[in-house]
Amino acid sequence: MRALGGDQVDEAVASCTATLRTVVDRDWEGVKAGRVEWSCLHTAEHIAGDLIAYAGQLAGRAQDAYVPFEITLDEGTDNAGALHVIETTGALLSAAVRTAPRDVRAFHPYPFRSADREGFAAMGIAEVLLHTHDIAEGLGIAYAPSEDLAEAVLACIFPHVQPGPAAWPTLLWATGRGNLPGRAPVTEWHWHNNLVIPAERLTLTGVRPGAAHDLRLGGDGGFEWIDGGPYQGTREAAGMTVKAYEAGVLRPEFGLFALVRREDGRAVGGIGFHGVPDDEGRVEIGYDLAEAARGQGYATEALRALSEWALARDDVSVLFAAIEPDNLASQAVVSRAGFVPASVAEERTAHEGHDAADGALLLYVRRA
């Protein structure tokens, strides 16, 4: 699962224009594009509009709404001209993605009201791939992008969708454009950009499945780490994220977050949940730091921020943290973050099926 950036935007646009240029002499204005309600020419215009809109959001650092502009083709623009506009707007998005710093986020409504440069790249690529498919379907020609590009789009902005036997048919199914055996047709869908939670000195940055896959294999997950990072617990948590994604049970907001230091953009550790809340709203939380980041209050700050975010939700009522009896530093962290030793009844509940079921561990809780 590769990361998405300017090169992949260029790749998507090149696959679009190479395919559609073979039928540039056909009637695009009088033919409906696949399952959408637009003509093929209007759909090409829509591709260009999405590309320039995403470039504008990211380059303009829009924070509260869409930048109020749109692009339209000049009257009389032919099919070749429409493809030139797609190439041009694609180049603008590619440039915006390449030049945006890693920590920059701009407004996009789904689902947490912002996206970073990889999210905008993924959304732009998805628009190109899917609407090229629509146009090709309307004109009766074959089209399929590279499997690894479709796979990367799924892992980036469809982390809640279980991967299928092949990525491209899965992406078509996930956007209501096809069927997959054993899965109900999709009638409504949205992008799913990653969540970020601000803290005082840190930003808790949601780790996507592709980044988690890289971390699990020993990579950096696309983050710049301080010396000694990421620590082993973060890599193990990344493996849990990948397994949940592959099983189709990942809820990314209850996955892994990298702790990114604001002052220099370097990651110092990881924090996250051991799964989704149960029917009673109970969920376990865990964290670790690179050794060089310990003793500076980062773990307490991150645990407070994530706990407050979680307990503000309707589906979370109790957070658990399980700690080794001799880990006095971690016991101090959870205490400073508002956790208290679990009651006998809470310990019994944990032992009946939660991850914090090891009787050798001390159990701490924080309640809503």
Side-chain angles (χ1 to χ4, degrees), residues 106-124:
F107 174 81
H108 191 277
Y110 301 119
F112 303 114
R113 297 185 63 79
S114 74
D116 62 4
R117 64 187 186 187
E118 185 170 4
F120 279 107
M123 291 186 290

Side-chain angles (χ1 to χ4, degrees), residues 254-310:
F254 286 101
L256 172 64
F257 296 81
L259 308 182
V260 179
R261 197 161 55 189
R262 291 188 180 184
E263 67 180 38
D264 58 4
R266 303 182 77 187
V268 301
I271 192 169
F273 302 94
H274 289 210
V276 300
D278 66 14
D279 292 341
E280 301 299 322
R282 297 172 295 216
V283 63
E284 186 178 353
I285 196 168
Y287 53 88
D288 77 354
L289 293 176
E291 290 187 8
R294 296 174 187 175
Q296 301 173 56
Y298 290 135
T300 300
E301 179 181 327
L303 185 57
R304 282 177 180 157
L306 190 57
S307 298
E308 289 166 6
W309 172 85

Side-chain angles (χ1 to χ4, degrees), residues 169-252:
T170 302
L171 182 56
L172 292 176
W173 168 81
T175 56
R177 289 172 167 83
N179 298 311
L180 282 183
R183 301 196 193 186
V186 172
T187 57
E188 293 184 7
W189 58 274
H190 293 296
W191 314 134
H192 199 296
N193 283 291
N194 66 331
L195 172 65
V196 294
I197 300 173
E200 183 179 351
R201 296 170 297 164
L202 303 170
T203 299
L204 282 60
T205 302
V207 176
R208 298 179 172 99
H213 179 74
D214 185 58
L215 284 168
R216 182 181 67 168
L217 296 180
D220 59 16
F223 297 95
E224 182 182 351
W225 292 86
I226 65 168
D227 292 343
Y231 205 63
Q232 187 59 33
T234 298
R235 295 199 187 278
E236 292 172 358
M240 293 169 56
T241 296
V242 173
K243 288 180 181 178
Y245 173 61
E246 292 174 344
V249 296
L250 179 63
R251 285 176 60 188

Side-chain angles (χ1 to χ4, degrees), residues 1 16 63 66 76 94 148 151 157 166 178 204 206 223 240 277 307 310:
M1 288 178 272
C16 162
Q63 294 300 305
Y66 287 112
S94 177
D148 62 341
E151 179 186 50
I157 52 175
L204 282 60
F223 297 95
M240 293 169 56
S307 298

Side-chain angles (χ1 to χ4, degrees), residues 102-158:
R102 182 187 291 111
D103 62 338
V104 164
R105 298 185 74 88
F107 174 81
H108 191 277
Y110 301 119
F112 303 114
R113 297 185 63 79
S114 74
D116 62 4
R117 64 187 186 187
E118 185 170 4
F120 279 107
M123 291 186 290
I125 291 166
E127 294 283 1
V128 173
L129 303 187
L130 295 168
H131 289 309
T132 301
H133 163 82
D134 296 335
I135 296 171
E137 187 175 57
L139 295 172
I141 62 172
Y143 171 72
S146 68
E147 271 290 295
D148 62 341
L149 191 58
E151 179 186 50
V153 168
L154 283 167
C156 185
I157 52 175
F158 291 90

